[in-house]
Amino acid sequence: MRRGGPNRTPIPGRVYCPASLLPRLAGRRLGREDAQYWFAGVAADAAACALAAGDEVSAVTLLESGRCVLAAQALDSRGDLSDLRERAPEPAERFRTLTAEFETDTTSDRVALADELDAVTDRIRALPGMERFLRPPLLTDLTAQAHEGPIVYVNVSRHRCDALIITPDGVRSRALDRLSEETVSHRVRALHTAFTEGRLAAEQSIHDTLEWLWDTVMGPVLGELGLTAKPAADGPWPRIWWAPVGSLSLLPLHAAGHHRDGGPVLLDRVVSSTTPTIRALGHARAGRRDDWNEPRLLVVAMPHTPDAPDLPGAQAEADHLAALIPGATVLVGADATRDAVLDALPASGWAHFACHGYSDPDNPSDSHLALHDHDRAPFRVLDLSRLRLRNAEFAFLSACDTARTTTRLSDEAIHPLAAFQIAGFSQVVGTLWRVDDAVAPAFSQQIYGELIADRSGALCASAALHRTVRQLRTKYPNLPSVWAAHVHAGA
């Protein structure tokens, strides 16, 4: 008889992989389609082993280094090289050229290119003060990102499940004894199946999932943090960044709670955001502005899409935003082609997409937003993630499944929301399931109304989304599919 239940399976030898080795297992020598499958579950199990050995710091650095490897490579290539350019302009430029070439994914000799990049990286690390260039983050690098609120990794492994809570004071863990890899998989499958069985089944399943999430994850974490009461109505709301591991990222953690019976609810205690890794959050914050005036908005709307159902709500969203924000660039219908959107994005600080979204289960990199020419030139995740935008602040993806990927690739976060982050947007709102076209315009109007009304400081889309979700929950308490799908990611 084992002690401790299903989350305390003994781990032979308690041996775990150093964080520095994980990214090298799926380095740039592999093509994207191969590399994206390379790491499934490895980092979660390694972190579980570290926790079994009592090493919370290594558990966090293992999760940081062994998840979202493709995104990390892309973000590394977009880092600020200004200091390096001043010290050593030639290796800085060669590094930029090589990383850009990798992102085209068309090179015939990736091994030779990877070897050259390793050599350039070694040259850069030999420079005074550059020893940690592209090295795994130190604990101080990670805790520094918790200055606006805790960051919580929720690790799900076949061995054990834990919350790793990062604050400016360090890292501490909270065992989640009622959580298991098996139950997470069951909840994801049940939710997906319920959506195919009709509206009533979907609403019931979402409510069940939200209650289970509170009981097994969010309630214990908030108890650990001492966030056991509602904030004062006129005071600041605490913020938390959630970093769920594995299939848990496919569930609506941000809306967890007992909405049906008046029990505890996460929405009534904190403002939630998500981030795939702490480094990704740091990258998003690096591009955030301290204040903002009139946004440069791009609106892309597809009320009529070839070979797809009509979306009359998309036209309503475009009309409202065009009236709300003078000077917005509006691409509707036949004007909204892949090339037109790619040409318009570099000049846009905000971007709003009201269209169909399609998730490709076989190759998530081919998941796309359906524009007018989607049959000939799809606007894919891969195309988005290759962009290097400056001054990109906020993207709202009013489309289906824009924050969702396959279960097997959940740790790589390959979906449109993540692609917009990699491209340079510091804050992105996406969806975990299908969006109701009849409700989408009202949701969009409320969020932008909140954003435009609050100009007291830096743009805070998370607070605008939080207020919008709470208002819609009050209006439609029995329809969580309406208000629990939207998630905020980033700064």
Side-chain angles (χ1 to χ4, degrees):
M1 181 176 181
R2 293 175 181 158
R3 296 182 179 180
N7 291 329
R8 293 293 174 266
T9 304
I11 305 172
R14 290 183 173 179
V15 176
Y16 53 95
C17 179
S20 59
L21 295 183
L22 281 175
R24 299 185 69 86
L25 296 177
R28 299 177 188 267
R29 290 167 175 78
L30 296 175
R32 181 183 178 93
E33 291 192 15
D34 292 327
Q36 66 187 3
Y37 289 101
W38 200 255
F39 265 109
V42 173
D45 287 346
C49 291
L51 286 168
D55 191 346
E56 296 168 330
V57 173
S58 288
V60 172
T61 55
L62 283 161
L63 291 171
E64 281 291 299
S65 300
R67 299 174 61 256
C68 301
V69 174
L70 294 177
Q73 291 173 353
L75 294 178
D76 285 343
S77 69
R78 291 159 170 75
D80 185 4
L81 299 177
S82 55
D83 186 44
L84 178 60
R85 287 193 182 97
E86 289 183 8
R87 300 186 187 194
E90 189 276 326
E93 179 59 24
R94 189 57 187 154
F95 175 82
R96 188 200 65 79
T97 301
L98 288 170
T99 54
E101 189 169 346
F102 271 111
E103 289 191 23
T104 65
D105 213 33
T106 58
T107 178
S108 59
D109 193 349
R110 297 185 66 87
V111 173
L113 208 60
D115 287 343
E116 184 179 357
L117 182 59
D118 286 345
V120 171
T121 301
D122 289 341
R123 286 177 58 194
I124 294 172
R125 288 173 179 165
L127 297 171
M130 300 299 295
E131 296 85 356
R132 296 211 56 81
F133 183 73
L134 298 191
R135 300 269 189 206
L138 298 172
L139 177 62
T140 52
D141 300 325
L142 303 177
T143 57
Q145 291 300 330
H147 65 283
E148 295 183 29
I151 305 166
V152 181
Y153 258 118
V154 185
N155 191 49
V156 179
S157 164
R158 55 186 166 164
H159 303 297
R160 55 186 288 157
C161 297
D162 303 83
L164 287 156
I165 302 171
I166 297 93
T167 68
D169 296 327
V171 180
R172 67 182 188 270
S173 62
R174 169 64 156 86
L176 300 174
D177 295 313
R178 298 177 62 183
L179 186 66
S180 70
E181 188 178 59
E182 183 180 358
T183 57
V184 172
S185 298
H186 169 73
R187 289 287 174 177
V188 170
R189 289 193 301 269
L191 191 60
H192 176 76
T193 300
F195 275 101
T196 68
E197 294 175 345
R199 187 65 175 263
L200 184 62
E203 307 301 349
Q204 175 72 33
S205 182
I206 296 171
H207 270 304
D208 291 345
T209 300
L210 297 180
E211 292 169 5
W212 173 80
L213 284 169
W214 175 268
D215 294 339
T216 59
V217 180
M218 322 312 263
V221 171
L222 262 61
E224 180 73 22
L225 289 169
L227 298 171
T228 57
K230 294 182 180 180
D234 57 349
W237 281 69
R239 290 194 65 186
I240 294 182
W241 278 262
W242 302 98
V245 175
S247 298
L248 194 65
S249 64
L250 305 178
L251 297 177
L253 275 69
H254 63 287
H258 290 258
H259 300 271
R260 288 181 291 195
D261 56 14
V265 170
L266 188 67
L267 289 169
D268 295 337
R269 297 191 183 182
V270 300
V271 175
S272 293
S273 296
T274 64
T275 185
T277 63
I278 303 174
R279 285 191 295 171
L281 177 59
H283 178 80
R285 285 176 171 161
R288 182 175 58 180
R289 294 169 52 182
D290 293 331
D291 55 23
W292 58 282
N293 295 305
E294 289 296 333
R296 301 180 311 280
L297 173 65
L298 168 65
V299 180
V300 179
M302 292 298 303
H304 308 289
T305 306
D307 302 318
D310 285 348
L311 297 175
Q315 185 67 60
E317 289 180 62
D319 293 342
H320 171 77
L321 290 173
L324 181 67
I325 302 178
T329 298
V330 181
L331 300 175
V332 177
D335 292 331
T337 63
R338 175 182 175 274
D339 288 346
V341 171
L342 289 174
D343 287 344
L345 276 171
S348 305
W350 291 14
H352 181 88
F353 286 77
C355 58
H356 286 292
Y358 291 102
S359 178
D360 189 325
D362 297 322
N363 185 10
S365 294
D366 284 337
S367 298
H368 62 279
L369 300 178
L371 305 180
H372 180 71
D373 55 349
H374 69 98
D375 57 336
R376 304 184 305 277
F379 187 51
R380 303 173 301 164
V381 162
L382 186 57
D383 302 313
L384 278 163
S385 61
R386 287 172 176 167
L387 297 177
R388 300 189 179 204
L389 304 177
R390 298 289 183 266
N391 302 315
E393 297 177 272
F394 172 60
F396 184 2
L397 310 181
S398 186
C400 299
D401 300 318
T402 52
R404 187 175 181 85
T405 185
T406 64
T407 299
R408 185 179 177 189
L409 288 178
S410 52
D411 270 340
E412 280 302 313
I414 302 175
H415 46 62
L417 182 151
F420 272 87
Q421 286 188 287
I422 293 171
F425 284 92
S426 59
Q427 302 186 63
V428 187
V429 171
T431 58
L432 288 169
W433 52 72
R434 296 188 66 179
V435 176
D436 191 327
D437 183 62
V439 177
F443 201 102
S444 167
Q445 290 176 24
Q446 183 67 35
I447 284 184
Y448 282 97
E450 295 277 355
L451 290 174
I452 297 299
D454 184 7
R455 301 194 182 196
S456 56
L459 178 71
C460 190
S462 61
L465 177 63
H466 180 254
R467 290 190 292 266
T468 298
V469 170
R470 293 184 80 230
Q471 290 178 19
L472 283 175
R473 181 198 57 177
T474 299
K475 188 174 182 179
Y476 305 107
N478 296 320
L479 300 176
S481 67
V482 169
W483 44 262
H486 292 77
V487 296
H488 173 271

